[in-house]
Amino acid sequence: MSVQTTLCYIDNGDAYLMLHRVKKEHDVNKGKWIGIGGKFEPDESPVECMMREVSEETGLVPRTWCCRGIVTFVSARWVTEYMHLFTITEWTGEVRSCNEGILEWVPKDELLALPHWKGDEIFLSLISAPETPFFSLKLVYDKDDTLVDAQLDGSPVDLKDWNWT
């Protein structure tokens, strides 16, 4: 069993629009700061899901975006997730409130001070460089939600030496 999702980082140059997941009762991301996104609806493409989720959660309409990679989440506690990762650099509309959490523009150099999934550090580093080619990242978490393994384009990532850049 698996689920397909999108996750989008709306980039204004110095900050990402982040969602602090504090409003849903039973939320795998509860208390964490994440990008904008969600699960595919029947027959949606990744772009259609991204467009719908961004509009529903923020009120914004993406105008310029790039699909940056696929992230596979494997967990001892949760269903396997295949996440289509996007960056958005142009949009129309105004940010409005979200029923899933609090939206806030977070400076990129302050992201790691906020509660987040450890594996997010890897793909955030990859998307921070616009020249990074499309990638496939696999993140494996144990039953305590600790990141225990990562593979980038099929090669192991040394988690001890991984640094946010």
Side-chain angles (χ1 to χ4, degrees):
M1 188 166 162
S2 64
V3 62
Q4 291 212 48
T5 65
T6 58
L7 189 67
C8 312
Y9 285 88
I10 302 172
D11 185 346
N12 74 2
D14 298 324
Y16 290 125
L17 184 60
M18 300 294 289
L19 179 59
H20 189 197
R21 299 290 294 244
V22 294
K23 294 185 178 178
K24 290 174 93 177
E25 192 66 28
H26 301 286
D27 185 351
V28 65
N29 295 304
K30 186 147 182 95
K32 294 191 171 39
W33 289 80
I34 64 170
I36 310 303
K39 296 176 185 168
F40 281 37
E41 289 187 352
D43 302 323
E44 273 188 323
S45 71
V47 170
E48 290 168 330
C49 181
M50 177 272 296
M51 297 288 286
R52 178 184 53 75
E53 288 287 346
V54 168
S55 176
E56 287 176 1
E57 293 182 2
T58 70
L60 302 177
V61 177
R63 292 290 178 222
T64 302
W65 64 85
C66 181
C67 186
R68 305 298 301 276
I70 303 282
V71 181
T72 303
F73 293 97
V74 177
S75 169
R77 292 182 54 198
W78 313 104
V79 65
T80 297
E81 176 181 346
Y82 300 99
M83 182 183 76
H84 303 257
L85 183 64
F86 290 84
T87 51
I88 298 169
T89 53
E90 293 182 25
W91 58 88
T92 60
E94 298 293 324
V95 176
R96 60 168 171 71
S97 65
C98 177
N99 66 354
E100 295 186 18
I102 299 167
L103 291 167
E104 185 177 321
W105 289 102
V106 177
K108 293 175 184 178
D109 61 358
E110 296 177 18
L111 284 174
L112 297 186
L114 302 173
H116 61 278
W117 291 100
K118 186 68 177 167
D120 292 8
E121 296 175 20
I122 299 171
F123 64 74
L124 283 167
S125 178
L126 293 167
I127 67 171
S128 71
E131 67 279 0
T132 300
F134 187 89
F135 59 87
S136 174
L137 177 64
K138 181 179 181 181
L139 302 171
V140 181
Y141 289 87
D142 68 12
K143 63 180 175 44
D144 297 319
D145 293 335
T146 300
L147 183 63
V148 294
D149 187 41
Q151 297 174 27
L152 178 59
D153 293 328
S155 297
V157 172
D158 186 346
L159 298 177
K160 296 184 313 248
D161 294 332
W162 186 262
N163 291 315
W164 171 267
T165 55

